[in-house]
Amino acid sequence: MSKPIILAVDDDPQVLAAVLRDLRPRYAEDYQILGAGSGAEALEAVGGVQERGRTIALYLVDQRMPSMTGTEFLLEAQTSFPDAKKVLLTAYADTEAAIQAINDVGLDHYLMKPWDPPEEKLYPILDDVLADWRAATPPPFDGVRVVGTTWSPATHEVKDFLARNEIPYRFLDIERDEEAAAMAAAATGGSSELPVVFLPDGTTLVRPDRRALAGEIGLHIEAARPFYDLVIVGGGPAGLAAAVYGASEGLRTALIEREATGGQAGTSSRIENYLGFPKGISGADLARRATAQASRLGAEIVTAAEVTGIRAGDQVKTVTLSDGSELSCRAVLIASGMSLRKLGVPGYEQYEGAGVYYGAAATEAATYRDRDIFVIGGANSAGQGAMMFSKTSSKVTLVVRSDSLAAKMSQYLVDQIEATDNIEVLLGTQVLEVTGDQRVEKVRLRNTITDEEYERDGSALFIFVGAVPHSEFAADTVAHNEQGFIITGPDVMVGGKPASWNVDRDPYLLETSVPGIFAAGDVRQGAVRRVASAVGEGSVSVTFVHQYLTTV
Ligand SMILES: Cc1cc2nc3c(=O)[nH]c(=O)nc-3n(C[C@H](O)[C@H](O)[C@H](O)COP(=O)(O)OP(=O)(O)OC[C@H]3O[C@@H](n4cnc5c(N)ncnc54)[C@H](O)[C@@H]3O)c2cc1C
């Protein structure tokens, strides 16, 4: 297998030599390092790489070259290798050009010259962008195969679970691939149970549940210790941030996640407003980075394990998992987030996972390439979903209940949607029914202003219509509001001290109605429901955990 290529481009021979000198010791084992002395020479090299069937992972290009600037080169080069990462080498005066290049060519990073010492100023940045490139570029295939049908909810669930846990797989559709149909028939003894998952070691799993699948593909599914200082329920941004701070500040920390780390944010196609990522970051990348960071700092991350109950003793809390096992700890953080509300109209249930999806379901973008789809909802997540699908689907119809897009959506998204030709916005509109034969074919709509009812053709609905908190497992333990969102801090005392509050102090800011049990992120009453606020709450909750631990 030939190595992917890093192409460095600089018209100053001394600078080019210095770049190559610094790149080789760090990256030559995994990448071939090439250099070019001008944009034209580099474009020729790109053509050669393409002819030989090789791939470019990273361009590291000087901005200020006389005949062709770095940005001009990247604009041309990206047509050949659109997924290659792009880093500009700039001088102080080029900063504006570099920021412009973030929009023009999707620049991943810009570095100031000189980059000495490379251990501090070059390698961390290139390590990051190359890790992103590797995550988005699966190696040649010899891994997990999922055999099923595109329209089956069980197949969708398995594909989604593997994708969200970053396990590369190949999907084989028995309706299009006779060999795959024969493999499935042999594995199931002719029964129609699908999907069948084939693992590289020869193991075959017929319609596996999440836990069985997680165990077989090598995810960490059981806690290693019986006792922790802090157990975190949920691995979304709030839980991951708490794991990073808890573990780095010396608490024995376990994070229990029932699906895949990243939570709702992990399903987002692009988060544009999280600080520090000028180009935006995909939810999957953010989840991968945060999970790696929490693990590196010593947090134990247990996946495909669901928390089903919490018992609160004065000194020790007990967390029960769905397999019946129990973990003891001194403090608990509930960071279990929420889900988007179900559609609740006739017909939708039978198509769940087979034409009706909750959230952006990025894994389905390829299935609905060149088809007409609907996005239901009027807030930012719906807007982002519409923008993502507009790149692959032929038409996106955004169905919004209120009569203004700006009512709940950020202006930058409203502007993007209005400037996108293949998005149609239906304001003041409600979904009445979803119909079709084996799959979604039509959606019945009502104009709430004129009362007119009509049908539109479409292959899928992506739903973003409100939220349900994941707090059932703690419903008997901590106080929550009518919708189930957990009450914290000063709100706990509104209406009088609850019976569960048995200490002589007020609750800390993120503490629930039980001393030592905290809540952070979207599951909390009054949460702002943004990645940054979930991360902020998860991080500061650890400060309150420390304060609590000094009192027991
Ligand atoms: C499609 C989409 C796009 C979005 N885009 C943006 C954006 O661009 N910018 C922005 O700021 N915000 C965005 N948001 C909102 C943001 O993602 C959320 O506010 C944030 O993820 C909340 O984090 P959290 O950790 O509180 O909860 P969640 O992200 O909901 O994570 C909770 C986790 O807990 C797990 N869990 C639940 N119950 C249990 C249990 N019993 N046992 C074990 N684990 C459990 C869940 O599986 C989940 O992984 C978006 C949301 C969505 C859905």
Side-chain angles (χ1 to χ4, degrees):
M1 224 330 260
S2 44
K3 296 177 190 176
I5 289 164
I6 297 178
L7 178 57
V9 190
D10 203 306
D11 65 319
D12 180 332
Q14 276 184 342
V15 178
L16 182 61
V19 176
L20 297 174
R21 184 200 60 215
D22 284 342
L23 289 178
R24 285 195 177 114
R26 178 83 167 192
Y27 300 108
E29 198 174 318
D30 299 318
Y31 299 88
Q32 185 179 356
I33 319 279
L34 297 181
S38 69
E41 196 186 310
L43 284 176
E44 225 171 275
V46 171
V49 170
Q50 207 171 19
E51 268 170 35
R52 293 195 300 280
R54 306 270 307 272
T55 186
I56 294 186
L58 169 69
Y59 296 110
L60 181 56
V61 187
D62 185 28
Q63 167 63 7
R64 205 169 272 214
M65 296 187 289
S67 50
M68 183 186 280
T69 66
T71 315
E72 286 165 349
F73 161 76
L74 289 172
L75 260 179
E76 287 207 32
Q78 70 178 358
T79 54
S80 306
F81 294 100
D83 298 329
K85 295 290 167 186
K86 307 172 197 89
V87 176
L88 267 188
L89 285 171
T90 58
Y92 182 69
D94 302 327
T95 307
E96 213 166 294
I99 291 171
Q100 186 61 37
I102 293 175
N103 291 326
D104 294 347
V105 297
L107 190 72
D108 292 284
H109 226 291
Y110 62 91
L111 284 166
M112 291 284 179
K113 291 191 279 190
W115 52 86
D116 279 328
E119 288 75 13
E120 274 174 33
K121 296 193 176 154
L122 182 70
Y123 300 152
I125 288 158
L126 299 193
D127 285 356
D128 252 11
V129 293
L130 287 169
D132 285 351
W133 180 82
R134 274 197 307 276
T137 316
F141 199 76
D142 59 359
V144 179
R145 283 166 300 168
V146 178
V147 178
T149 61
T150 302
W151 311 110
S152 132
T155 303
H156 167 73
E157 201 177 303
V158 164
K159 282 163 58 186
D160 192 53
F161 181 76
L162 290 171
R164 291 190 59 203
N165 280 289
E166 303 234 313
I167 308 292
Y169 67 88
R170 175 179 285 174
F171 172 56
L172 303 169
D173 186 347
I174 58 162
E175 285 172 10
R176 296 184 189 184
D177 185 334
E178 278 177 23
E179 207 180 312
M183 280 164 64
T188 58
S191 92
S192 56
E193 267 201 297
L194 289 173
V196 184
V197 181
F198 295 88
L199 302 181
D201 67 358
T203 308
T204 303
L205 303 167
V206 179
R207 205 170 185 160
D209 65 26
R210 238 183 252 151
R211 201 167 161 73
L213 182 58
E216 289 291 345
I217 58 181
L219 296 178
H220 183 58
I221 59 170
E222 269 162 21
R225 307 167 188 237
F227 191 87
Y228 293 85
D229 295 317
L230 173 63
V231 168
I232 300 164
V233 186
L240 285 167
V244 163
Y245 280 87
S248 67
E249 291 173 14
L251 298 177
R252 284 166 297 176
T253 303
L255 180 153
I256 314 293
E257 167 55 53
R258 67 177 172 191
E259 292 171 27
T261 51
Q264 297 167 73
T267 67
S268 171
S269 46
R270 185 147 293 272
I271 297 164
E272 306 245 20
N273 54 0
Y274 187 49
L275 189 71
F277 296 90
K279 191 181 160 231
I281 181 164
S282 77
D285 275 349
L286 189 64
R288 182 172 49 74
R289 285 160 179 253
T291 308
Q293 189 178 12
S295 301
R296 182 177 67 78
L297 291 168
E300 190 181 330
I301 296 184
V302 183
T303 17
E306 176 163 4
V307 172
T308 51
I310 301 176
R311 286 198 313 279
D314 280 348
Q315 305 286 325
V316 173
K317 322 277 179 245
T318 307
V319 173
T320 314
L321 305 186
S322 52
D323 65 358
S325 61
E326 293 191 336
L327 295 178
S328 299
C329 54
R330 299 168 73 200
V332 176
L333 173 69
I334 302 174
S336 43
M338 61 178 204
S339 293
L340 296 164
R341 196 176 291 286
K342 302 275 172 176
L343 190 57
V345 300
Y348 84 97
E349 265 175 342
Q350 73 184 96
Y351 304 111
E352 274 191 356
V356 171
Y357 304 93
Y358 292 90
T363 39
E364 299 306 328
T367 307
Y368 296 101
R369 180 176 290 282
D370 300 329
R371 292 170 187 255
D372 292 357
I373 63 115
F374 292 85
V375 171
I376 318 294
N380 277 356
S381 50
Q384 289 170 351
M387 285 308 298
M388 183 189 88
F389 286 111
S390 71
K391 299 195 173 69
T392 45
S393 296
S394 44
K395 180 174 174 196
V396 177
T397 305
L398 180 59
V399 180
V400 184
R401 235 187 154 142
S402 79
D403 57 6
S404 147
L405 204 52
K408 288 195 187 156
M409 203 178 280
S410 303
Q411 193 56 41
Y412 81 92
L413 269 173
V414 176
D415 295 343
Q416 284 180 7
I417 286 168
E418 285 173 353
T420 306
D421 288 340
N422 64 339
I423 301 184
E424 181 187 4
V425 182
L426 299 179
L427 295 174
T429 304
Q430 181 188 0
V431 177
L432 292 181
E433 192 178 6
V434 185
T435 56
D437 186 8
Q438 295 285 321
R439 59 194 71 161
V440 173
E441 288 169 8
K442 288 187 189 302
V443 177
R444 193 161 178 71
L445 300 165
R446 184 166 79 97
N447 182 317
T448 54
I449 301 154
T450 62
D451 259 358
E452 181 202 356
E453 290 186 15
Y454 56 99
E455 272 186 345
R456 283 282 181 97
D457 292 340
S459 311
L461 287 85
F462 294 87
I463 320 286
F464 303 82
V465 289
V468 185
H470 301 148
S471 57
E472 346 53 73
F473 59 90
D476 296 337
T477 315
V478 299
H480 50 82
N481 69 14
E482 268 176 22
Q483 293 85 43
F485 289 98
I486 295 176
I487 299 172
T488 51
D491 290 348
V492 167
M493 295 300 184
V494 173
K497 192 170 89 154
S500 55
W501 193 257
N502 57 2
V503 293
D504 192 19
R505 62 171 171 85
D506 283 341
Y508 299 122
L509 201 56
L510 297 172
E511 202 165 22
T512 69
S513 59
V514 176
I517 302 184
F518 298 79
D522 283 11
V523 73
R524 208 177 58 77
Q525 170 178 275
V528 177
R529 300 189 190 166
R530 291 280 184 279
V531 175
S533 43
V535 167
E537 289 185 10
S539 313
V540 298
S541 69
V542 173
T543 306
F544 300 125
V545 168
H546 282 301
Q547 288 179 14
Y548 163 76
L549 291 178
T550 61
T551 68
V552 288

